Amino acid sequence: MTKRTYWAEHAWLEGDVEPGVALDIADGRVTAVHKATPVPPPGAEVLPGLTMPGLANSHSHAFHRALRGTVQAGSGTFWTWRETMYATAGRLTPDTYHALARAVYAEMALAGITTVGEFHYVHHAPGGTPYADPNAMGEALLAAAAEAGIRITLLDTAYLSSGFGQPPTTPQLRFSDGDADAWAERCSVLEERDHARIGAAIHSVRAVPAQQLATVARWARERRAPLHVHLSEQTAENDACREIHGCTPAQLLALHGVLGPRTTGVHNTHLTAEDISLIGGSGTGTCMCPTTERDLADGIGPAAALQNEGSPLCLGSDSHAVIDLLEEARAMELNERLRTRTRGHWTAAALLRAASADGHAALGWDGIGTIEAGARADFVTLALDSVRTAGPPPGLGAETAVFAATAADVRHTVVAGRHVVRDGAHTLVPDVPAALARAVEALRA
């Protein structure tokens, strides 16, 4: 049994910031929390600053990181951006995807993210031919997360059509298994491991025919696995769904048994009042990705209304225009302020829960998102003496974290009781910026 003790100068416990907290760790879990410990116990590893539960990035497309800095200039819409994204997807191989994802997940660890939900749909070789191992691309992502030292929920995604009743386009052929039964057969081979969970995803109601939605939902339900779906990200999708099915995407998902407590709708941007009631009343979660939603000019989703109706909120960095869960949390509140012209829709504590405990729950992980006896020993420490965080009293650490700090303030990231990031440096991936540059350049070459 591996035992160690960490001493946090300040720790966010049960919604409050406590000074001087010792954490006993054994076999990757917290065995005891000692408050009011003013000095580090002998042999303890010291964590100066504010220690919080590890963050959960609930929605990621790892290969989108290769687009950063290349798609922000000029005009256009989500649909024109998508063509550039397809071109990048077309150049991926299992080896190049592994290298890129390893670097991206290491960047996440540097940002305090201890678990990622990878919404994975690039399954096959260009043209749609399966690899010798039909899950070669998914296995590359699982290996990348292990090597970067973080947990992963691989949300294996059904992506079968280009639109309502339309076959996949040429770039989309490598996404498609042909039908939902073939999708289920392929992803049933994937195995969970200590650092990895296997979940399911419906890319969108335009990408999975209505009569096949239930197959994906049943696969997830039988395995008690998380199920995620892009939902009403674009008004064009809503308009087409109404034209073909006479209802909104949320209503279509409800008709086919997709909504429910293990399901998370991603974006949930353009919803009717009935949609909001359906999602909240079924306990379906909502994953907001504010930095991507504003980068792609998607719009501002009704996060506060959804939560008020009963939809748990979590956060994701999606296209990785920015990888910073603190910025996602801050942006959700600030977006709502812009929309309503009032302040204070969520407390800092509520936003941190969305970025940690509720995100982990949406990804199928229990015992993560709190610092207490029995919880998994996943936590992150922020500097309270940077140019962004210096000044406020430590007792306002949660407010400082959400409304002032950035990923650059992360000093330590601990996963399963071991340092993945120590003093701002990744312990497993040397020179993360260089690894990112090499991986992105390999896709451009």
Side-chain angles (χ1 to χ4, degrees), residues 196-209:
R197 298 284 181 270
I198 307 300
I202 293 165
H203 181 273
S204 55
V205 294
R206 60 186 163 79
V208 177

Side-chain angles (χ1 to χ4, degrees), residues 274-319:
E274 183 180 350
D275 292 340
I276 293 171
S277 295
L278 274 174
I279 292 167
S282 63
T284 300
T286 295
C287 180
M288 304 300 291
C289 306
T291 65
T292 291
E293 288 151 6
R294 68 193 185 199
D295 183 61
L296 298 182
D298 287 344
I300 298 173
L306 283 159
Q307 188 171 56
N308 289 339
E309 287 291 325
S311 179
L313 299 180
C314 59
L315 298 163
S317 65
D318 192 358
S319 69

Side-chain angles (χ1 to χ4, degrees), residues 126-359:
T129 302
Y131 290 102
D133 174 358
N135 287 303
M137 296 294 265
E139 290 291 347
L141 294 167
L142 296 173
E147 292 172 29
I150 69 172
R151 304 182 194 273
I152 184 172
T153 296
L154 187 72
L155 298 161
D156 197 287
T157 304
Y159 194 138
L160 307 173
S161 61
S162 63
F164 297 96
Q166 301 299 315
T169 63
T170 298
Q172 296 168 335
L173 289 172
R174 67 183 314 191
F175 308 161
S176 176
D177 290 293
D179 59 34
D181 288 329
W183 166 85
E185 181 179 358
R186 177 186 53 74
C187 61
S188 293
V189 179
L190 288 162
E191 295 182 354
E192 296 192 342
R193 48 215 81 171
D194 287 346
H195 80 291
R197 298 284 181 270
I198 307 300
I202 293 165
H203 181 273
S204 55
V205 294
R206 60 186 163 79
V208 177
Q211 67 272 20
Q212 299 186 54
L213 292 170
T215 300
V216 184
R218 182 170 58 252
W219 187 95
R221 185 170 57 252
E222 290 174 350
R223 290 159 178 78
R224 303 186 63 80
L227 172 62
H228 289 215
V229 53
H230 289 135
L231 179 55
S232 288
E233 182 179 4
Q234 296 292 322
T235 55
E237 177 182 285
N238 288 3
D239 294 343
C241 189
R242 285 192 180 96
E243 182 179 347
I244 299 298
H245 295 290
C247 62
T248 67
Q251 292 161 4
L252 187 66
L253 294 175
L255 285 171
H256 291 276
V258 175
L259 302 185
R262 281 193 298 276
T263 300
T264 297
V266 181
H267 303 303
N268 289 0
T269 306
H270 303 286
L271 303 176
T272 66
E274 183 180 350
D275 292 340
I276 293 171
S277 295
L278 274 174
I279 292 167
S282 63
T284 300
T286 295
C287 180
M288 304 300 291
C289 306
T291 65
T292 291
E293 288 151 6
R294 68 193 185 199
D295 183 61
L296 298 182
D298 287 344
I300 298 173
L306 283 159
Q307 188 171 56
N308 289 339
E309 287 291 325
S311 179
L313 299 180
C314 59
L315 298 163
S317 65
D318 192 358
S319 69
H320 312 314
V322 177
I323 294 180
D324 188 338
L325 263 287
L326 300 174
E327 171 62 20
E328 304 294 346
R330 176 163 56 245
M332 187 164 70
E333 166 67 22
L334 298 186
N335 281 354
E336 194 70 6
R337 292 182 186 186
L338 284 173
R339 193 179 66 81
T340 63
R341 292 180 289 174
T342 60
R343 305 174 78 229
H345 301 276
W346 292 277
T347 64
L351 292 168
L352 286 178
R353 282 194 296 273
S356 55
D358 291 344

